[in-house]
Amino acid sequence: MGNPDLTSADAPSDPNTPEAVLENYLDEHDYEIFRALNANGRISDTELAERVGLSRTAVRRRREKLQESDVLEILAVIVLQEADLADAQVLVSFDQHVSSEVRTEFITMLIDEGLVYNTSSCLGEYDLVFSAWHTDLNALKEYVWDLFDGKEIVDDYTIIPLLKTWKAWDKELDRP
């Protein structure tokens, strides 16, 4: 389903840009609304309208439509490295003999964990990757051990500590 407001002449020339990837979901105005909210999630509709070049009412309607369709969610995140907290990616291989119910219970447990901020299915050597954080790497390692304690579903796992993040989503945090 393409965006009817965009013609082929309007399409971004580089297919490897956020605009090009999102063109089936966001038109030019919606993309500018996204970028402005990504930079400052507390921006008012009035300021947003001035930046995007639409009326306040039009911007509010567009923002609400994007939010109601779950295409856009305004989040606050803690920049873990700025708070001097440890985070890691945890790659998990499942025991292939466990039931889908056990897999669902395990994934649900991770989703409900307060120190787990991302949980995704993946292809390849591992079945699941999740991101977790804690006060330091030792506490993070013990936290992961506790998560896996008694869980026969976990066949193998690798913890990859993250030392420096230069960019998170569309936000530059630092330069090398």
Side-chain angles (χ1 to χ4, degrees):
M1 171 175 86
N3 186 332
D5 296 335
L6 291 179
T7 65
S8 59
D10 296 327
S13 58
D14 182 354
N16 298 315
T17 63
E19 298 93 330
V21 173
L22 293 170
E23 73 182 354
N24 287 335
Y25 308 96
L26 307 177
D27 68 17
E28 181 182 337
H29 292 300
D30 289 342
Y31 182 74
E32 289 305 315
I33 290 169
F34 154 71
R35 288 190 39 98
L37 288 167
N38 194 47
N40 176 6
R42 296 178 52 136
I43 191 171
S44 71
D45 287 342
T46 302
E47 292 175 88
L48 199 50
E50 290 172 8
R51 180 177 278 178
V52 176
L54 296 173
S55 72
R56 185 177 57 83
T57 302
V59 163
R60 181 180 44 79
R61 284 185 184 148
R62 283 173 173 266
R63 177 186 47 76
E64 287 174 350
K65 181 179 176 189
L66 291 168
Q67 288 177 287
E68 288 167 4
S69 66
D70 292 330
V71 172
L72 175 71
E73 187 166 338
I74 301 169
L75 302 171
V77 296
I78 295 172
V79 181
L80 298 170
Q81 71 188 17
E82 297 302 322
D84 204 23
L85 296 167
D87 68 321
Q89 300 287 305
V90 183
L91 307 171
V92 183
S93 293
F94 290 153
D95 177 336
Q96 298 303 310
H97 298 98
V98 299
S99 68
S100 62
E101 181 179 316
V102 170
R103 283 193 303 273
T104 298
E105 288 173 10
F106 183 77
I107 293 167
T108 300
M109 181 263 310
L110 290 175
I111 291 168
D112 293 339
E113 281 293 318
L115 297 177
V116 172
Y117 63 91
N118 182 30
T119 306
S120 301
S121 176
C122 58
L123 295 173
E125 183 179 345
Y126 296 96
D127 299 299
L128 185 85
V129 60
F130 70 90
S131 305
W133 61 282
H134 215 295
T135 53
D136 57 56
L137 289 175
N138 190 53
L140 182 56
K141 180 173 78 171
E142 289 184 23
Y143 174 69
V144 171
W145 285 351
D146 288 344
L147 287 175
F148 294 164
D149 188 34
K151 304 290 190 284
E152 294 179 17
I153 187 173
V154 178
D155 186 49
D156 192 20
Y157 68 94
T158 300
I159 301 173
I160 303 172
L162 302 175
L163 302 177
K164 180 76 173 172
T165 300
W166 290 280
K167 182 179 180 181
W169 291 101
D170 200 37
K171 178 127 175 110
E172 180 181 317
L173 302 175
D174 203 357
R175 289 246 173 208

